[in-house]
């Protein structure tokens, strides 16, 4: 589903952020640079697009773009000259300095059509170091009519110098109920609760994952985790069984489970719907210190994703730690 189809949709978990953004607009005090930060799949891009459309539309109505004017038509056709979108050229790649240099040239000119020009950088943490330095110079002298919208789910990876030049808005995760209700309308025949768990509570990510048939991978990993902790399989065999599952998913899902298991140790009354069903029986017998150590290991592994890691060794090491998670 394209975001264009959702452009006028008001998501309940966005309302506080939207109010903040609308108040900037109503008072004509929009910061020249905003960071929209939040977990992957909570709709940060949609929010950025909604604000961009509202600002560029010729006759906005009730805080929404009209969808009918010339500006709205240009936006819909992705040809509005005053809405500049900067993405990595290929998925997984960084944003290069060339992209920011060509932006600098454009910014010296007045906006073509609108009063304002919007530069949407997504994801901003993909700016490479040189590109980030170049952008910093631009943010120091952004020009009167330019608004920068930086989107990221890894705020900690953005240089502090860039963050200090921007106003950061945290886009929250929806409640589980809001996420399920939103997704149910779009995927009436799916196991919504499971999809939301797979996507760590992010509805847009759940929507994307449902199209990739990833639920089977999740089930496989769930069963392997239960087998490992009960000693029914060993880490080497388990690693070979899971060869086809995306490494990023293995890391993400297991990190999520470990965090949930840690939370339950501190608060046994916590909502347990998200916890891997097959782990529920053993959660009382886990070693908290080892859980924290496994969490560290997973966070380190996450940092290495995308570099040339030895997948087999990484997964085996995680499985070894997990299979020893009970107290000695
Ligand atoms: Zn319009």
């Amino acid at each position: 589903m394209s975001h264009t189809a959702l452009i006028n949709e008001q998501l309940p978990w966005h309302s506080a952020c939207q109010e903040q953004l609308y108040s900037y607009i109503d008072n004509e005090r929009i910061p020249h640079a905003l960071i929209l930060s939040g977990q992957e799949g909570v709709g940060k891009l949609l929010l950025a697009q909604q604000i961009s459309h509202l600002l560029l539309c010729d006759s906005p109505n009730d805080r929404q773009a009209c969808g009918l004017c010339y500006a709205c038509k240009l936006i819909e056709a992705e040809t509005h000259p005053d809405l500049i979108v900067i993405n990595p050229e290929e998925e997984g790649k960084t944003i290069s300095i060339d992209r920011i240099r060509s932006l600098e040239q454009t910014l010296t000119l007045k906006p073509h059509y609108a009063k304002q020009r919007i530069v949407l950088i997504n994801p901003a943490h993909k700016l490479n170091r040189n590109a980030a330095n170049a952008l910093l110079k631009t943010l120091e002298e952004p020009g009167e009519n330019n608004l920068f919208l930086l989107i990221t789910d890894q705020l900690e990876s953005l240089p502090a110098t860039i963050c200090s030049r921007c106003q950061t808005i945290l886009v929250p995760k929806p409640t589980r109920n809001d996420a399920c209700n939103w997704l149910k309308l779009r995927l009436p025949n799916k196991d919504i609760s499971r999809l939301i768990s797979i996507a760590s509570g992010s509805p847009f990510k759940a929507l994307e994952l449902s199209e990739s048939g990833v639920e089977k991978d999740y089930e496989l990993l769930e069963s392997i985790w239960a087998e490992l902790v009960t000693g029914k399989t060993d880490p080497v065999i388990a690693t070979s069984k899971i060869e086809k599952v995306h490494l990023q998913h293995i890391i993400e899902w297991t990190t999520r489970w470990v965090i949930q298991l840690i939370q339950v140790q501190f608060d046994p009354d916590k909502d347990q719907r998200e916890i891997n069903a097959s782990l529920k029986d053993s959660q009382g017998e886990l070693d908290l210190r080892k859980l924290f150590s496994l969490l560290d290991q997973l966070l380190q592994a996450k940092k290495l994703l995308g570099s040339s890691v030895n997948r087999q060794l990484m997964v085996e090491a995680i499985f070894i730690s997990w299979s020893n998670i009970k107290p000695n």
Side-chain angles (χ1 to χ4, degrees):
M1 183 182 295
S2 79
H3 279 179
T4 322
L6 299 166
I7 203 68
N8 282 329
E9 190 159 345
Q10 303 294 313
L11 304 174
W13 62 95
H14 280 183
S15 59
C17 298
Q18 273 172 330
E19 271 314 309
Q20 191 177 351
L21 290 164
Y22 290 149
S23 79
Y24 292 144
I25 296 172
D26 292 347
N27 299 314
E28 296 186 9
R29 296 184 74 96
I30 309 171
H32 69 79
L34 290 163
I35 295 175
L36 298 183
S37 157
Q39 186 180 310
E40 187 186 355
V42 295
K44 300 181 293 299
L45 177 61
L46 177 65
L47 189 58
Q49 288 172 331
Q50 287 173 332
I51 290 303
S52 307
H53 291 201
L54 180 60
L55 288 170
L56 295 176
C57 172
D58 291 329
S59 42
N61 186 4
D62 194 19
R63 290 174 163 180
Q64 286 189 352
C66 73
L68 300 169
C69 68
Y70 183 55
C72 282
K73 294 292 175 203
L74 287 176
I75 293 169
E76 204 182 315
E78 297 182 12
T79 52
H80 198 301
D82 301 318
L83 177 58
I84 302 171
V85 179
I86 298 183
N87 303 120
E89 275 169 30
E90 280 176 57
E91 209 186 318
K93 293 269 164 68
T94 58
I95 298 169
S96 71
I97 186 166
D98 295 342
R99 198 69 189 81
I100 302 299
R101 284 213 179 109
S102 70
L103 171 70
E104 282 166 8
Q105 286 176 357
T106 312
L107 295 184
T108 58
L109 308 167
K110 283 196 164 174
H112 289 263
Y113 179 75
K115 277 182 276 177
Q116 192 155 29
R117 182 189 284 115
I118 294 166
V119 180
L120 203 165
I121 305 178
N122 181 37
H125 58 263
K126 284 291 181 183
L127 289 159
N128 72 22
R129 190 190 298 180
N130 290 336
N133 283 335
L135 178 69
L136 181 62
K137 289 203 187 87
T138 308
L139 290 176
E140 282 165 356
E141 287 180 41
E144 257 182 57
N145 304 312
N146 299 318
L147 167 64
F148 291 81
L149 292 175
L150 281 66
I151 297 178
T152 185
D153 55 47
Q154 292 176 33
L155 188 62
E156 69 287 355
S157 304
L158 275 184
T161 44
I162 289 208
C163 295
S164 70
R165 298 265 159 202
C166 304
Q167 176 94 35
T168 300
I169 293 185
L170 182 69
V171 184
K173 204 171 104 169
T175 62
R176 196 175 168 85
N177 263 350
D178 280 348
C180 286
N181 290 339
W182 184 82
L183 204 58
K184 222 180 280 170
L185 291 174
R186 280 148 193 92
L187 302 169
N189 303 318
K190 289 266 185 180
D191 182 345
I192 298 297
S193 184
R194 165 166 289 251
L195 264 174
I196 288 289
S197 295
I198 296 175
S200 306
S202 289
F204 284 87
K205 197 170 174 194
L207 199 58
E208 194 187 310
L209 290 174
S210 75
E211 286 159 12
S212 67
V214 85
E215 291 134 291
K216 287 208 164 54
D217 291 348
Y218 188 84
E219 274 169 35
L220 176 64
L221 188 64
E222 248 185 353
S223 66
I224 285 175
W225 269 62
E227 285 171 24
L228 280 167
V229 81
T230 51
K232 285 184 191 140
T233 189
D234 75 71
V236 177
I237 295 172
T239 305
S240 69
K241 278 190 191 170
I242 206 145
E243 256 172 2
K244 295 206 171 82
V245 179
H246 205 297
L247 179 59
Q248 189 184 340
H249 288 159
I250 299 177
I251 308 285
E252 267 177 27
W253 296 337
T254 52
T255 304
R256 180 95 190 132
W257 292 335
V258 170
I259 290 172
Q260 286 163 350
L261 288 168
I262 290 172
Q263 287 171 336
V264 169
Q265 306 284 318
F266 288 102
D267 178 8
D269 298 329
K270 190 182 150 44
D271 185 352
Q272 299 199 7
R273 276 175 300 176
E274 283 186 59
I275 293 179
N276 176 339
S278 44
L279 296 180
K280 278 186 181 150
D281 295 339
S282 54
Q283 70 192 23
E285 325 159 17
L286 305 178
D287 184 321
L288 188 58
R289 191 181 49 83
K290 288 182 177 177
L291 278 171
F292 272 114
S293 152
L294 175 55
L295 180 59
D296 272 346
Q297 190 179 357
L298 286 160
L299 295 176
Q300 288 299 325
K302 189 182 174 194
K303 279 189 194 156
L304 293 173
L305 285 174
S307 61
S308 54
V309 289
N310 184 322
R311 176 197 154 100
Q312 192 185 341
L313 287 182
M314 183 188 270
V315 176
E316 263 177 36
I318 292 167
F319 282 179
I320 288 168
S321 302
W322 172 244
S323 60
N324 291 316
I325 207 75
K326 292 188 180 179
N328 295 327

